[in-house]
Amino acid sequence: YRDTPEILLHGSAIMRRLLSHGRQIGATDAPVLILGETGVGKELLAHYIHDCSGRTGPFVPVHPASIPDGLFESEFFGHEKGAFTGAIRQKIGLAEMAHQGTLFIDEAGDIPAPMQIKLLRVFQDHRFMRVGGEEERHSDFRLICATNKDLWAEVKSGHFREDLYYRLKVVTLWTPPLRERREDIPALAAFLLHRQAAELHRPDPGLEEEALRYLAGLDWPGNVRELSNALQKALVFNSGAPVSIRD
């Protein structure tokens, strides 16, 4: 689906079950916590749940680690003109942008500690105020979070609020790493090679059977992202013949 359908290449039973659960969850408004290693496709699964929800608003991703210190509150809640130095116009925040859609918090374990208590209230009643504002606002968003961290370990170490943890952990989905669904690797590799060839403006050379078996035997600690990068590198050095183990 969309322009990145690799999440739907699910020959394995574990992926068919995961997507079935995603469709069931999509029909509800329950908060979802998606767990899994880096590169497994957690955001793609979140997109899939959003598409199954029937919500008419946008899918709005939030990447806490990419927001500079001191700007998280303004980015998330928005601000009014003149709220602080440099606020030359009104800004709509990410929570408000997600009205009637889905708010996706990627790597929720990276939410700054000072913001966790403020987000707890927003996630509970969907009400907030823009920075410098006096009017309470409401946003009807569906909340999906993802993380590659052990959030309970973060709670026990004092880095993550326990009440926020339980607010996020209503429905939990585990996205398996590639090494636990090796039967999906050949279809994924063929799809990713075709996409990489298009992006590089080169014909798709295909993959030798021996190369497919080789790829399926690797552990891929970086998961789908690492597989995609490996195929792109193989294309760079490919002479036009089907991609081989040497490539």
Side-chain angles (χ1 to χ4, degrees):
Y1 76 109
R2 298 181 184 273
D3 61 342
T4 49
E6 55 260 43
I7 194 66
L8 299 182
L9 297 173
H10 54 284
S12 60
I14 192 171
M15 288 304 292
R16 291 197 300 270
R17 185 165 60 251
L18 177 64
L19 293 172
S20 174
H21 289 163
R23 286 191 296 273
Q24 289 177 287
I25 293 166
T28 75
D29 283 332
V32 182
L33 179 62
I34 302 175
L35 306 176
E37 297 176 4
T38 297
V40 294
K42 297 186 292 294
E43 186 166 348
L44 287 170
L45 179 58
H47 258 299
Y48 181 71
I49 294 170
H50 170 73
D51 287 347
C52 292
S53 71
R55 283 184 162 261
T56 57
F59 179 93
V60 178
V62 183
H63 304 280
S66 69
I67 301 176
D69 292 343
L71 293 181
F72 196 100
E73 193 168 358
S74 172
E75 289 293 315
F76 197 89
F77 301 123
H79 62 250
E80 299 292 351
K81 180 179 179 181
F84 50 84
T85 302
I88 60 175
R89 62 177 64 87
Q90 184 188 76
K91 176 182 175 63
I92 304 299
L94 296 166
E96 200 167 346
M97 288 170 56
H99 180 58
Q100 296 185 337
T102 296
L103 185 66
F104 173 65
I105 312 293
D106 190 22
E107 299 307 339
D110 292 331
I111 297 173
M115 286 299 301
Q116 291 179 21
I117 183 61
K118 296 180 180 181
L119 293 184
L120 177 64
R121 180 180 178 235
V122 179
F123 294 161
Q124 284 176 335
D125 59 21
H126 293 218
R127 296 188 177 278
F128 59 93
M129 286 177 39
R130 294 175 184 158
V131 176
E134 299 179 353
E135 177 185 353
E136 189 174 64
R137 314 189 73 83
H138 176 264
S139 180
D140 173 24
F141 57 81
R142 180 357 164 8
L143 178 65
I144 302 179
C145 295
T147 183
N148 62 5
K149 293 183 177 180
D150 182 343
L151 282 189
W152 182 241
E154 294 290 299
V155 170
K156 291 191 290 184
S157 67
H159 295 123
F160 202 82
R161 292 183 61 93
E162 185 173 0
D163 47 7
L164 181 56
Y165 170 76
Y166 286 116
R167 169 55 52 183
L168 304 184
K169 191 180 179 295
V170 177
V171 176
T172 303
L173 291 177
W174 166 256
T175 308
L178 274 183
R179 63 183 175 275
E180 293 183 10
R181 54 183 185 107
R182 295 181 187 275
E183 58 267 52
D184 290 340
I185 291 177
L188 272 170
F191 165 76
L192 292 169
L193 183 71
H194 184 77
R195 190 175 72 176
Q196 295 284 12
E199 290 178 356
L200 293 174
H201 306 290
R202 300 183 64 174
D204 180 357
L207 288 132
E208 291 184 356
E209 286 297 322
E210 187 181 16
L212 285 173
R213 289 192 296 270
Y214 172 74
L215 294 175
L218 298 178
D219 282 342
W220 300 111
N223 294 291
V224 180
R225 188 174 298 132
E226 183 185 7
L227 173 62
S228 179
N229 291 344
L231 290 165
Q232 184 180 57
K233 182 174 68 174
L235 273 174
V236 169
F237 294 104
N238 178 262
S239 61
V243 172
S244 66
I245 291 177
R246 176 179 294 181
D247 293 320

